[in-house]
Amino acid sequence: MISIALAGKPNAGKSTFYKSATLAEVDVANYPFTTIDANRGVSHVRTDCPCLERDERCGNEHCHDGKRYVPIELLDVAGLVPGAHEGRGLGNQFLDELTNADAIINVVDASGGTNEEGEPVEVGTYDPVEEVDFIEEEMNQWLAGIIERNWETVERQSRSPGFDIDEALSEMLTGFGASEHEVAASLRELEYPDDPQQWTDDHREALARDIRARTKPIILVANKADIAPEENIERLRETGKPVIPATAEGELALQKGVEAGVVDYDSGDDDFEIVGDLSGQQQAGLERIRGVMQEWGGTGVQDALDTAVYDLLDRITAYPVQNESKWTDGQGNVLPDAFLLPNGSTPPDLAYAVHSDIGDGYLHAVNAKTNRDISDSYELEEGDVIKIVSTAK
C-alpha cells in the first residue's frame, strides 16, 4: 500500500488533516506537540470508477456512484522544529518515521497564526513562506548526517577488489527507501571522485539532496486557508512549489455532518448539500465552509492526497478481474479490487501486484473493456480493467 506522510511544524493542522482523511480518533489541540507518537491510518485517493462506462454502478463499498476511493496509508508525524535533524524536539525520532513514506505532504499554516515553534501568534504576523523549504531542508540535512556517519564503512569497502559504489550506497540507503535504481540514477546526475576517500561534505550533501528528492517528493498544503490572508496563499504559490489551499477543519466538519446524517458529501466534491435539521449557528458554519470551497474548488484535503499519489508519484489505477465480460471476480463481485501502479506498468506487473504466485504463473492478459488480448509489454492506462490468465488460481 502506498504510504503518504504528513509533516510540518507543530500546530499547523496535521492531526486535523489526518483525522478528516481517516476518521480516526486522534488528539487535536491548539498547542505544539499534540502528537507525540506517529499515527498510522487508512485514507483513500479518488478517481473515476470504470463502472461509469457501464449501465449500472458497480456497488463496491469503495465506489460512491462512480467515485472510486482507493486505499492508501496515511502517516501523521509529530511536529518538527528548526534543528530537528540535530535532535531538537525529538527530531531524529520523528524524521525516522518518514523513512517508509513514498511521498510527503508538508502541512503549512497559511494563516500565519503560529510561529516557527508552532506557538500561537496573531493571525497574519508570521510569514508562512518560511515553512516552504523547512521540511525539505531538515530531511536533507538529516540524511546527509546519516551518510556521513556511515561513510567510513564505504571507505573500507572501497579498498576491496571489485568495489561497486552503486552497491555500497544502495546497501547504506536501503533503510531510507532508496532502491538500487534510484541510487544509480542519482550518481549519474552528480559529479564526484571515483575514490570515496576523496569525497567531501559537499559531495555527501549533494547525494543526500538528490536521493531525498527522488525517494521522498514533497507537496505543500496551505492549511487554514479559511482564515489565511489571501496574499499569503498567493505568496506561497509564487515560490514555484506545488501548493494546495486547504481547510482541514472544514473537511472534518463535513465528515462529521455526513456521519450525523445532516450533510450529503463525498470527499473531494466541490460542494455539499444540507439534508438534515441544523441550528442557525451550524448552518452559518457550513455556509462559511461552502464559501471557501467555492473559492478553492473544495476543502483541499482530498485534492492533496490525489495530487501526491497521481501526480507526484505518477500512479495509475488498474482493476484486475476474472470474468472479462462481467468485470467480476470468482464470487461475482463487480470490480472488486483496485491497484495503484507506477505509470508504465504492464500486465505482468499487475499480476505480481495481485499475488506473487499469479505473477509467477502469468500466461497472458485480456483488456476487459475491448475484450481483446493485450501484449505483455502493453502499458496500462488509468482505469484499465484487466483479466490476468495465470496457471495459479
Side-chain angles (χ1 to χ4, degrees):
M1 186 180 290
I2 286 176
S3 181
I4 304 297
L6 303 175
K9 72 180 187 183
N11 213 10
K14 296 184 304 301
S15 293
T16 304
F17 187 111
Y18 175 86
K19 187 171 183 178
S20 72
T22 63
L23 298 183
E25 286 302 319
V26 295
D27 290 332
V28 177
N30 187 32
Y31 53 82
F33 299 113
T34 309
T35 303
I36 298 299
D37 297 317
N39 295 306
R40 291 181 182 273
V42 175
S43 188
H44 300 81
V45 291
R46 171 175 160 168
T47 187
D48 290 336
C49 186
C51 72
L52 289 169
E53 300 177 30
R54 298 171 74 90
D55 292 335
E56 295 182 4
R57 302 290 72 82
C58 66
N60 187 286
E61 63 175 327
H62 293 304
C63 179
H64 299 180
D65 195 27
K67 307 165 191 173
R68 185 71 177 227
Y69 291 88
V70 186
I72 61 169
E73 181 184 55
L74 190 61
L75 174 65
D76 174 25
V77 177
L80 295 165
V81 296
H85 69 279
E86 298 172 336
R88 279 202 71 224
L90 300 178
N92 287 326
Q93 173 188 324
F94 299 158
L95 286 163
D96 281 343
E97 298 285 357
L98 299 176
T99 56
N100 294 322
D102 297 297
I104 295 170
I105 294 175
N106 180 8
V107 181
V108 172
D109 178 1
S111 76
T114 49
N115 64 20
E116 64 180 6
E117 302 285 342
E119 299 161 340
V121 296
E122 185 179 345
V123 168
T125 58
Y126 182 77
D127 186 0
V129 174
E130 297 291 329
E131 301 174 44
V132 169
D133 297 323
F134 165 54
I135 295 299
E136 184 175 315
E137 189 60 25
E138 288 295 333
M139 291 194 69
N140 289 343
Q141 293 299 326
W142 174 69
L143 182 55
I146 291 174
I147 293 172
E148 183 177 359
R149 288 192 294 276
N150 289 277
W151 198 253
E152 187 177 339
T153 301
V154 177
E155 290 181 347
R156 283 200 305 270
Q157 292 173 340
S158 70
R159 302 186 187 105
S160 303
F163 170 74
D164 187 316
I165 194 168
D166 290 36
E167 291 181 7
L169 293 180
S170 296
E171 183 178 339
M172 179 202 298
L173 294 167
T174 297
F176 191 72
S179 66
E180 191 171 340
H181 170 76
E182 287 165 333
V183 170
S186 279
L187 291 175
R188 284 197 300 270
E189 290 294 319
L190 302 174
E191 294 185 5
Y192 58 91
D194 293 335
D195 183 358
Q197 297 180 66
Q198 302 300 316
W199 279 50
T200 66
D201 288 345
D202 288 343
H203 292 121
R204 287 185 283 269
E205 186 171 321
L207 174 64
R209 290 179 181 277
D210 197 88
I211 287 292
R212 197 282 312 155
R214 291 178 189 276
T215 62
K216 303 289 182 286
I218 299 174
I219 62 168
L220 296 175
V221 163
N223 194 33
K224 307 183 186 180
D226 50 322
I227 60 172
E230 191 169 331
E231 58 269 23
N232 280 9
I233 303 291
E234 292 307 314
R235 291 181 63 247
L236 286 168
R237 285 178 158 170
E238 287 170 1
T239 64
K241 305 281 187 180
V243 176
I244 298 173
T247 168
E249 283 194 350
E251 176 72 18
L252 184 57
L254 290 175
Q255 295 296 345
K256 287 182 175 179
V258 171
E259 282 188 329
V262 296
V263 171
D264 183 13
Y265 169 75
D266 288 319
S267 187
D269 288 354
D270 58 9
D271 202 357
F272 60 89
E273 183 180 357
I274 297 174
V275 293
D277 294 331
L278 297 172
S279 68
Q281 185 177 3
Q282 289 172 322
Q283 180 133 1
L286 286 176
E287 290 303 328
R288 283 195 296 273
I289 295 171
R290 193 194 303 275
V292 177
M293 294 173 70
Q294 289 174 343
E295 183 174 4
W296 303 115
T299 68
V301 171
Q302 188 66 57
D303 188 16
L305 297 172
D306 296 346
T307 299
V309 172
Y310 289 115
D311 297 339
L312 210 60
L313 296 176
D314 197 20
R315 293 301 201 266
I316 57 108
T317 323
Y319 303 78
V321 295
Q322 290 188 36
N323 187 311
E324 67 270 36
S325 60
K326 296 182 178 180
W327 294 9
T328 57
D329 62 10
Q331 288 72 49
N333 299 306
V334 180
L335 297 171
D337 299 304
F339 286 83
L340 293 166
L341 302 175
N343 197 2
S345 294
T346 61
D349 294 327
L350 176 59
Y352 275 107
V354 174
H355 196 282
S356 58
D357 291 345
I358 302 292
D360 289 341
Y362 175 86
L363 296 174
H364 67 93
V366 178
N367 185 329
K369 289 185 177 181
T370 62
N371 203 25
R372 293 181 179 178
D373 286 359
I374 50 179
S375 73
D376 296 355
S377 60
Y378 168 80
E379 291 192 2
L380 298 170
E381 299 179 355
E382 172 63 30
D384 270 353
V385 180
I386 304 294
K387 176 184 178 177
I388 301 293
V389 181
S390 173
T391 58
K393 299 297 183 183

